[in-house]
Amino acid sequence: EGVAPYELSESEKYILESFAIDDTSQILAFKAPKEAKSLQVNIYRLDGKGKWSNTGGGGVPLNPEQLSGTFTIHLKEDYGIDFNINTDGLASIKTEGVSLESESTSWTQGFLEEFQNIEMNKEIPVAFKVVDSGSSMKGYSLQDYFKPSEFKGMDLVQFVTVKFSDERF
C-alpha cells in the first residue's frame, strides 16, 4: 500500500516521447489501504505570509473493489498544473497559469522518486515547482512542503499533495 513512480515499459516510453512528454510530467501508481474511502488532491501556492494557499484540488470516492490506479501530473510552462486520477474512472484537476511580476531567471522542480507509504488522512507531497527572479537557487525536496519557511524570498512556490482518507466526501 503506497504511492510510487509508475514503471514504464519501453513501448510506453516511446508513446510518451511521441507526444513530447518530457521532464515536466510524471505518472504515479498507487495502491490504497482497505480502509480508504476517498482520495483528495490539493494544489498549493505559498502566499506572501509563508502559508499554503489552496489554488485547486478535488477528490474522488474510492471503490473498495478498486483501490489502485494512477495519477498523472503535468507542471505547465505558464505555471498551471494539470492532475489526472485514473482509478474506477477518470477525474481531472487543472489550475490556471500564474503571471509573475518579474521575469523568472531560475527554477527547480521535483517529483516523487521512490515508493512512499500511505498514512491515512495525511498529505503526501508528490510534486513541486519553485521559481525566482534571482541569480541563484538552492536545492529543494518534497519534504520541504512541511517547512514552508525554507522558501523565503522565492517568487513562486507550488506543491501538489495527495491524501487518502477513511471518510467519504
Side-chain angles (χ1 to χ4, degrees):
E1 297 170 353
V3 179
Y6 180 82
E7 297 293 327
L8 295 169
S9 68
E10 286 303 313
S11 61
E12 290 170 327
K13 287 179 188 175
Y14 176 77
I15 290 169
L16 289 179
E17 288 169 0
S18 298
F19 281 102
I21 303 294
D22 56 15
D23 62 354
T24 61
S25 299
Q26 186 184 44
I27 302 172
L28 297 171
F30 70 88
K31 181 170 189 235
K34 289 180 275 201
E35 58 273 8
K37 294 183 177 153
S38 62
L39 165 61
Q40 177 78 35
V41 177
N42 288 300
I43 301 172
Y44 295 107
R45 181 176 176 185
L46 197 61
D47 67 19
K49 298 175 185 166
K51 302 286 184 203
W52 293 116
S53 174
N54 192 316
T55 60
V60 294
L62 292 174
N63 180 339
E65 288 83 42
Q66 179 65 38
L67 293 171
S68 61
T70 57
F71 310 123
T72 59
I73 307 165
H74 179 67
L75 303 176
K76 296 167 50 176
E77 199 171 304
D78 68 356
Y79 310 120
I81 297 175
D82 292 349
F83 192 98
N84 296 295
I85 304 166
N86 191 356
T87 180
D88 239 5
L90 185 63
S92 294
I93 299 163
K94 299 178 186 310
T95 64
E96 297 292 321
V98 176
S99 296
L100 298 177
E101 292 180 17
S102 30
E103 186 176 336
S104 65
T105 55
S106 56
W107 61 271
T108 187
Q109 66 186 26
F111 292 100
L112 187 69
E113 295 181 11
E114 57 190 36
F115 178 85
Q116 176 76 44
N117 284 318
I118 294 171
E119 291 183 47
M120 293 300 293
N121 304 310
K122 183 178 178 190
E123 288 186 290
I124 302 169
V126 294
F128 72 87
K129 187 157 198 164
V130 181
V131 180
D132 193 48
S133 56
S135 58
S136 66
M137 181 178 294
K138 71 177 204 167
Y140 295 103
S141 76
L142 289 169
Q143 292 309 306
D144 290 330
Y145 166 76
F146 300 105
K147 303 175 281 183
S149 61
E150 290 290 315
F151 303 103
K152 187 174 181 167
M154 296 293 104
D155 293 339
L156 175 66
V157 181
Q158 297 172 302
F159 264 84
V160 179
T161 68
V162 297
K163 178 171 69 171
F164 294 84
S165 177
D166 55 5
E167 296 179 13
R168 290 243 178 246
F169 288 105

